[in-house]
């Protein structure tokens, strides 16, 4: 069977277009890390945690490929890192995992990198399953800040279609690797949560 590549098979959900679209984030598996602070890759602790998230996502893929605990396995491209930022300074780093993965793979992945990261960082990274609902999204090129045009793009779309934003926070999906790509070339998909009544709006909703 061919390798599953979300960039091809789920290209609408991980759109690089600035034209807004709506996604339904149904129940799915994630690696998660909860913290407080701000997005700052010059902060060694934050950068270390971001690196650990990438490495553990790769480690789960490796563990899944040889695990006898899974009902089935399909080779896949690991999903991108994303984060959700609340206005109170708390955040969650997340990496979606294929539905066939199981929590038992995470300890195996942690064992692979135990000499690279502090144990307290690894202990805070969990395997969870959750549903996040509906979000409106638009792409941003380069580092994201309060003056980025993507905010106006999203606001105008929400107002035009009389949608309801349900949280002051937002999600950032890093379509390029934060640690290996020059910041000027980052592609960040910005999302804001909206209420479920979008289903009666007549707008197209992307679901995978």
């Amino acid at each position: 069977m061919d390798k599953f590549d979300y960039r091809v098979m789920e290209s609408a959900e991980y759109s690089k277009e600035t034209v807004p679209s709506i996604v339904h984030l149904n129940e799915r598996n994630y690696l998660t890390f909860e913290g407080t602070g701000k997005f700052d890759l010059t902060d060694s602790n934050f950068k270390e945690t971001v690196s650990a998230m990438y490495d553990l996502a790769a480690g789960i893929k490796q563990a899944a490929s040889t695990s006898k605990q899974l009902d089935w396995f399909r080779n896949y491209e690991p999903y991108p890192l994303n984060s959700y930022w609340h206005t109170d300074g708390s955040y969650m780093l997340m990496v979606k995992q294929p539905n066939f993965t199981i929590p038992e793979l995470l300890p195996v992945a942690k064992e692979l990198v135990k000499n690279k990261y502090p144990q307290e960082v690894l202990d805070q990274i969990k395997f969870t399953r959750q549903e996040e609902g509906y979000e409106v999204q638009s792409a941003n090129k380069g580092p994201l800040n309060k003056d980025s045009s993507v905010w106006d793009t999203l606001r105008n779309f929400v107002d035009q279609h009389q949608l309801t934003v349900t949280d002051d926070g937002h999600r950032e999906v890093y379509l390029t690797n934060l640690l290996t790509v020059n910041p000027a070339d980052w592609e960040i998909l910005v999302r804001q949560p909206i209420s479920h009544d979008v289903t009666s709006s007549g707008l197209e909703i992307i679901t995978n």
Side-chain angles (χ1 to χ4, degrees):
M1 183 180 292
D2 292 339
K3 179 179 181 180
F4 179 86
D5 190 337
Y6 72 90
R7 296 169 299 187
V8 177
M9 303 300 293
E10 299 176 355
S11 59
E13 180 174 335
Y14 297 96
S15 172
K16 296 184 178 183
E17 299 295 329
T18 57
V19 176
S21 55
I22 296 170
V23 292
H24 178 210
L25 305 180
N26 50 20
E27 191 175 55
R28 48 191 66 189
N29 298 331
Y30 287 100
L31 290 184
T32 61
F33 173 92
E34 296 184 67
T36 58
K38 60 181 181 179
F39 179 95
D40 183 5
L41 287 176
T42 66
D43 181 295
S44 59
N45 292 328
F46 183 76
K47 185 175 182 179
E48 185 174 58
T49 303
V50 167
S51 179
M53 293 290 286
Y54 281 125
D55 281 352
L56 288 175
I60 282 185
K61 175 186 172 180
Q62 180 178 336
S65 68
T66 58
S67 176
K68 299 186 184 307
Q69 296 179 274
L70 300 182
D71 293 331
W72 60 284
F73 170 80
R74 181 180 182 183
N75 189 21
Y76 66 95
E77 179 70 24
Y79 281 91
L81 178 71
N82 78 82
S83 59
Y84 194 93
W85 299 85
H86 298 277
T87 53
D88 65 0
S90 64
Y91 66 86
M92 179 180 285
L93 300 179
M94 311 173 73
V95 183
K96 180 181 171 182
Q97 302 300 301
N99 275 330
F100 60 75
T101 57
I102 55 176
E104 289 78 6
L105 297 174
L106 181 54
V108 179
K110 287 182 176 180
E111 185 69 18
L112 297 173
V113 297
K114 66 178 182 179
N115 295 323
K116 187 175 179 179
Y117 300 105
Q119 189 61 45
E120 56 265 29
V121 172
L122 296 178
D123 286 345
Q124 293 181 73
I125 298 175
K126 311 295 183 182
F127 188 104
T128 67
R129 187 167 178 84
Q130 57 196 60
E131 179 175 358
E132 293 152 299
Y134 298 91
E135 296 185 352
V136 59
Q137 65 179 15
S138 178
N140 178 82
K141 184 69 177 293
L144 185 66
N145 57 60
K146 62 182 179 63
D147 297 319
S148 298
S149 62
V150 67
W151 303 116
D152 286 334
T153 300
L154 289 171
R155 185 181 304 110
N156 291 338
F157 183 83
V158 166
D159 290 346
Q160 177 186 351
H161 296 285
Q162 299 180 315
L163 304 177
T164 303
V165 175
T166 58
D167 190 284
D168 290 335
H170 73 279
R171 186 185 311 279
E172 302 174 10
V173 183
Y174 309 108
L175 301 177
T176 44
N177 190 304
L178 293 174
L179 303 181
T180 61
V181 175
N182 187 298
D185 296 321
W186 284 349
E187 293 176 303
I188 303 174
L189 189 56
V190 182
R191 294 174 175 166
Q192 291 180 305
I194 53 178
S195 63
H196 70 276
D197 58 11
V198 67
T199 56
S200 61
S201 68
L203 294 169
E204 180 183 3
I205 297 174
I206 301 159
T207 301
N208 289 312

